[in-house]
Amino acid sequence: MFNYWNYRVVKKDWDNGNISYEICEVYYENDKPTAWIWGKNVLNGESKEDLEWTLNVVSKAFEKPVLEIVGDDKGLIEVKE
């Protein structure tokens, strides 16, 4: 039995006719997806292209300094790490 996980684009067709996509953690047993985490994922959107655009924008966050919340949510400052 070979178990592992990775990230996959997951599409959901909601009862109200809306469709959404999320990048989810997906768990496998014997190379077959058996479980996933829905609704707590970093990325979601209305299409695969929307996810790709969002991922590109999110990846740029790593090119900039970390921001830290200061004093009772009064503002943000850059942190030098």
Side-chain angles (χ1 to χ4, degrees), residues 6-28:
N6 63 17
Y7 288 103
R8 297 291 300 270
V9 174
V10 176
K11 178 182 175 182
K12 181 164 176 65
D13 190 353
W14 298 90
D15 291 337
N16 61 8
N18 290 334
I19 296 174
S20 62
Y21 293 77
E22 288 194 15
I23 295 178
C24 300
E25 285 184 26
V26 176
Y27 298 87
Y28 297 80

Side-chain angles (χ1 to χ4, degrees), residues 63-70 76-81:
E63 298 171 5
K64 300 175 183 171
V66 172
L67 295 174
E68 183 176 350
I69 300 170
V70 293
L76 298 168
I77 59 167
E78 287 187 357
V79 178
K80 298 193 188 258
E81 296 186 331

